[in-house]
Amino acid sequence: MKKLILLSLGFLLFISCKEEKKEETAQVEEIQQYSIEQFMNNENAFANGYAPDKSKVLMTSNRSGIYNMYTVPASGGELSPITKSDSASVFGISYFPNDDRILFRMDGNGDEIYKIYMKDSSGIKALTPTQKVRALFRGWSKDGKSFFYGSNERDSKFMDHYEMDIESFTPKMIYKNEDGMDFGGMTEDRKYIALSKSINTNDSDLYLLNTETGKKTKINDTLSGNSPQDFSPDGKSLYYTTDADGEYSTLMKYNIAEGTSEKVAERNWDITGFYFTHNGTYQIMFINADAKTEMEVKEVATGNVVDFPEIEGQSINSANFSRDETMALLSVGGSNTPTNSYSYNLNSKEKVKLTDVLNKEINPDDLVSAEVVRYKSFDGLEIPAIYYQPKQASVDNKVPALVWVHGGPGGQSRQGFNSTIQYLVNHGYAVLAVNNRGSSGYGKSFYKMDDQNHGDKDLKDCIAGKDWLAEQEVIDGEKIGIIGGSYGGFMTMAALTYAPDQFDVGVNLFGVTNWLRTLKSIPPWWESFKEALYTEMGDPNTADSVRLREISPLFHTDKVTKPLMVLQGSQDPRVLQVESDEIVEGVKKNGVPVEYVLFEDEGHGFVKKENQIEAYGKIKDFLDKYLKGVGQQGMDTGM
């Protein structure tokens, strides 16, 4: 912890180490604590794009309590509401290229069945079917007279590729997807489409489809992770990333006429994204560097790097360029600073802050920065993690801790701002966000280490994280819990069932508890990914079902002895409500304290602010009672 430097150096020489510690403790105890309402009143707002004349910017924000669309002057100013939904969230897509009409999307309270809508001066019009059909926007045509989207209208299992002109709004199918392919981009002349086919959750085959002849050409020669990124502006090349030559993804260029590939860029981490701006003036590349996004922008003609402004020591996580390429919307944030949007003029170098999302009642000095740490697991494997230590923690004021497990399988905890983590840390809980084996971002070998080994070695990595926490001098090693959502919720339940003595409490947010049912009931639009998921997890329709039952916490609830909290959304299409209903019922039979929070109007994750306040506030109350021990009056059960 940094020492106060308010005193002269001469006086500091006379201060003992003990006195310094007392002074530091006195300082950190002055950290103000904030309510869940204050933390959830941090606004989540992001820019969707410039208006055609670049005078204003389309924004999506949850300031109303759920997501709605707003507009803000590109020169800065107040956000003005465009929609005022009080039920389903509204997410902006973009302005039309040549007028002020707007595209946006909505689903049914988290069911992930998205529909595309248009808003114009006369009101709102649905452009894709509103019943049981999923549609995803895939970009505008170069001339701005039509847009592209994927839809499973023909077959619920497959996303076909459509074009819709913006005069008649008549859809035209360009590619009929009968092979379970994933769309990866199309040339301006619509002649070539990039497609990929998942083999497992890491590896996929990459194809180039000639829409005129119907011929598909396979681009990769070996089993590897391949992902199409963008076609060159002249349509002669396809850029893609691959890990064929090493642990991390590199950027490749496939020359269509010659049928040859060449390496374009390589870094010490995964290159995760690449694209050209509208007219091909700039190329943008993203790198996942130790769970933090790095952006590189170059002038295509010269190869010169384009410098973007340093903004208060934060990271630029994305850039959305105007169609004339003179302006860019930047997404900027850090682990202790929520993400804000800026408008940046590439010619004048002027930047304008469009949002200020941190609640004015919160002093930014009271928030904590993430620290990347690494520790050894049971077999010596090095595990990366993101550590958040409360400012009030000290040797004399030890704090309880949580192992935080990300979703997936194959996700990654990253160095971004998380209001829920900051809320818990602000109230004296250290958080270690573990990137157990099987997490993305640390090489393909690390990623594959948990294949058909879930709830075993990856769980042991989490337990090793608990042991690392217990070794920290500011942590109370007798008060360490585990928390996670989705796959992280499964890991929470796996910890409480297969290692019941390791953690003191568990918080399961919409976690898988019955792999047999979950793998059989995945949404139909996951069809292209289903076999890959079965390869990693196991096929519930084969002999794999024996192992899947064995690793499903639902069938081992008799082993749970520690307090449990479960949170679930009724509209969740990935992890069905019955998963949480049954795990709660099973654990209650043990006489173990169980709390269950169910939202009828949420899906896989909670987006409505009032529900977030209730959910995360109740998590803290549960932890205060059963982990921190504040006001604990025995082991009462409850819903």
Side-chain angles (χ1 to χ4, degrees):
M1 189 173 295
K2 294 181 180 179
K3 297 184 177 72
L4 290 171
I5 55 173
L6 302 176
L7 303 175
S8 69
L9 178 61
F11 190 71
L12 279 173
L13 293 175
F14 294 96
I15 300 178
S16 68
C17 292
K18 184 175 182 181
E19 288 172 330
E20 285 182 1
K21 288 181 180 178
K22 286 181 179 179
E23 187 174 344
E24 289 174 5
T25 302
Q27 179 195 14
V28 296
E29 287 177 350
E30 295 175 1
I31 296 299
Q32 183 176 345
Q33 292 185 325
Y34 304 97
S35 68
I36 184 59
E37 288 82 4
Q38 288 173 306
F39 268 104
M40 291 302 110
N41 276 333
N42 290 331
E43 183 180 1
N44 190 6
F46 47 91
N48 303 115
Y50 289 101
D53 64 1
K54 298 175 295 182
S55 65
K56 55 189 174 183
V57 175
L58 179 66
M59 303 288 302
T60 299
S61 167
N62 71 342
R63 59 169 49 187
S64 69
I66 66 171
Y67 287 97
N68 272 289
M69 291 190 297
Y70 298 79
T71 186
V72 63
S75 57
E78 292 298 316
L79 271 67
S80 301
I82 298 174
T83 58
K84 297 181 180 181
S85 173
D86 59 3
S87 54
S89 285
V90 176
F91 295 93
I93 295 176
S94 78
Y95 282 104
F96 278 49
N98 299 307
D99 58 68
D100 276 355
R101 289 177 292 176
I102 293 171
L103 282 185
F104 67 95
R105 67 176 173 88
M106 296 173 65
D107 73 352
N109 283 318
D111 64 4
E112 300 183 21
I113 303 177
Y114 299 108
K115 303 99 178 172
I116 298 175
Y117 296 84
M118 175 188 69
K119 188 178 189 313
D120 61 13
S121 58
S122 65
I124 290 173
K125 177 182 179 181
L127 302 183
T128 60
T130 57
Q131 298 296 321
K132 299 181 180 179
V133 174
R134 194 171 198 249
L136 298 176
F137 179 76
R138 289 175 171 173
W140 289 97
S141 63
K142 185 69 178 290
D143 61 15
K145 295 180 179 179
S146 61
F147 67 88
F148 306 102
Y149 67 99
S151 173
N152 65 347
E153 180 177 2
R154 177 188 60 84
D155 186 326
S156 64
K157 298 190 297 296
F158 300 122
M159 299 291 284
D160 298 325
H161 187 56
Y162 290 85
E163 180 175 10
M164 181 177 287
D165 78 84
I166 59 174
E167 293 303 322
S168 68
F169 296 103
T170 302
K172 173 187 175 183
M173 185 187 294
I174 296 178
Y175 167 59
K176 187 177 182 180
N177 183 10
E178 297 180 295
D179 302 316
M181 296 283 184
D182 292 313
F183 177 83
M186 184 173 64
T187 54
E188 179 188 344
D189 61 7
R190 298 146 177 84
K191 181 177 180 180
Y192 293 107
I193 293 177
L195 300 168
S196 60
K197 176 69 173 176
S198 296
I199 306 302
N200 53 55
T201 54
N202 180 77
D203 301 320
S204 59
D205 287 333
L206 183 61
Y207 295 90
L208 186 71
L209 171 67
N210 185 320
T211 60
E212 296 176 356
T213 66
K215 180 183 177 182
K216 281 202 296 278
T217 301
K218 186 180 176 184
I219 293 176
N220 58 298
D221 297 322
T222 61
L223 183 65
S224 50
N226 300 283
S227 179
Q229 297 298 327
D230 200 4
F231 284 97
S232 60
D234 61 11
K236 295 180 179 180
S237 305
L238 170 66
Y239 287 77
Y240 66 99
T241 53
T242 181
D243 61 11
D245 296 330
E247 284 294 319
Y248 295 98
S249 291
T250 60
L251 182 66
M252 305 290 289
K253 176 183 178 182
Y254 177 76
N255 301 295
I256 296 175
E258 295 83 8
T260 58
S261 293
E262 58 183 289
K263 186 178 294 185
V264 175
E266 183 175 16
R267 298 294 183 267
N268 293 326
W269 299 95
D270 281 326
I271 296 174
T272 55
F274 177 86
Y275 72 93
F276 292 95
T277 52
H278 182 67
N279 296 314
T281 303
Y282 302 105
Q283 61 183 46
I284 296 88
M285 185 168 70
F286 296 96
I287 300 97
N288 179 7
D290 213 4
K292 185 177 182 180
T293 299
E294 293 180 354
M295 183 180 76
E296 296 181 8
V297 180
K298 288 185 178 181
E299 251 182 357
V300 174
T302 64
N304 294 334
V305 173
V306 179
D307 292 325
F308 279 76
E310 287 286 332
I311 301 177
E312 301 167 357
Q314 301 170 56
S315 299
I316 299 175
N317 300 313
S318 67
N320 183 356
F321 285 71
S322 60
R323 286 175 73 87
D324 68 0
E325 303 170 320
T326 63
M327 306 281 286
L329 293 166
L330 307 180
S331 175
V332 182
S335 63
N336 65 336
T337 308
T339 299
N340 280 297
S341 295
Y342 287 76
S343 179
Y344 180 64
N345 187 311
L346 277 83
N347 296 322
S348 69
K349 311 301 181 186
E350 179 188 7
K351 67 179 186 294
V352 176
K353 191 175 184 180
L354 301 178
T355 61
D356 189 7
V357 298
L358 182 65
N359 185 352
K360 300 297 186 294
E361 297 175 2
I362 295 178
N363 182 347
D365 293 336
D366 292 334
L367 303 175
V368 299
S369 297
E371 177 188 359
V372 177
V373 300
R374 286 173 165 79
Y375 60 87
K376 298 291 186 181
S377 192
F378 70 99
D379 56 357
L381 182 69
E382 188 175 73
I383 304 299
I386 315 297
Y387 180 51
Y388 302 82
Q389 180 172 297
K391 293 195 173 186
Q392 59 265 49
S394 69
V395 175
D396 298 325
N397 183 37
K398 295 180 184 291
V399 296
L402 295 166
V403 168
W404 182 287
V405 193
H406 61 66
Q412 183 188 35
S413 284
R414 296 175 53 76
Q415 299 184 59
F417 186 85
N418 185 309
S419 287
T420 307
I421 288 179
Q422 290 287 345
Y423 169 61
L424 294 172
V425 174
N426 178 251
H427 284 268
Y429 292 94
V431 174
L432 183 71
V434 171
N435 282 314
N436 51 271
R437 69 190 70 200
S439 302
S440 57
Y442 305 100
K444 63 184 180 184
S445 296
F446 189 87
Y447 183 83
K448 294 179 179 181
M449 281 183 177
D450 70 341
D451 286 5
Q452 297 205 20
N453 190 245
H454 305 85
D456 181 11
K457 293 180 180 178
D458 51 0
L459 174 57
K460 291 175 182 176
D461 296 339
C462 295
I463 293 172
K466 181 216 69 171
D467 294 339
W468 180 89
L469 281 167
E471 292 170 356
Q472 308 310 303
E473 62 180 6
V474 301
I475 301 297
D476 184 344
E478 300 300 316
K479 296 180 178 180
I480 301 177
I482 184 168
I483 181 173
S486 191
Y487 186 79
F490 158 70
M491 292 289 283
T492 294
M493 294 313 309
L496 296 189
T497 51
Y498 307 128
D501 297 327
Q502 292 292 333
F503 294 93
D504 298 295
V505 298
V507 178
N508 161 21
L509 294 96
F510 40 89
V512 178
T513 59
N514 181 350
W515 281 109
L516 292 168
R517 177 170 50 215
T518 294
L519 291 172
K520 288 180 179 179
S521 63
I522 62 174
W525 55 85
W526 279 21
E527 184 69 23
S528 64
F529 186 66
K530 183 174 74 173
E531 292 305 319
L533 187 60
Y534 283 5
T535 298
E536 173 168 345
M537 296 298 308
D539 187 339
N541 304 302
T542 68
D544 291 341
S545 62
V546 176
R547 186 185 61 82
L548 289 170
R549 181 182 176 87
E550 182 60 31
I551 69 169
S552 295
L554 178 63
F555 305 112
H556 310 280
T557 54
D558 59 302
K559 295 183 174 67
V560 178
T561 61
K562 301 297 175 61
L564 168 67
M565 185 177 204
V566 178
L567 301 97
Q568 176 73 40
S570 290
Q571 306 302 317
D572 194 333
R574 307 185 190 194
V575 179
L576 303 180
Q577 178 187 327
V578 66
E579 297 274 315
S580 293
D581 291 346
E582 291 184 354
I583 201 73
V584 167
E585 181 182 358
V587 174
K588 275 193 164 188
K589 293 177 181 178
N590 300 343
V592 173
V594 182
E595 295 187 13
Y596 189 22
V597 181
L598 179 65
F599 297 106
E600 299 292 340
D601 55 351
E602 297 282 8
H604 199 68
F606 311 140
V607 298
K608 293 181 173 65
K609 193 170 290 188
E610 64 178 356
N611 294 339
Q612 293 173 338
I613 289 171
E614 180 180 351
Y616 307 134
K618 285 187 174 180
I619 287 176
K620 178 191 160 296
D621 292 343
F622 172 82
L623 294 173
D624 284 349
K625 182 175 182 179
Y626 293 112
L627 186 60
K628 189 179 285 185
V630 176
Q632 183 170 352
Q633 300 294 328
M635 303 286 274
D636 299 326
T637 61
M639 285 290 283

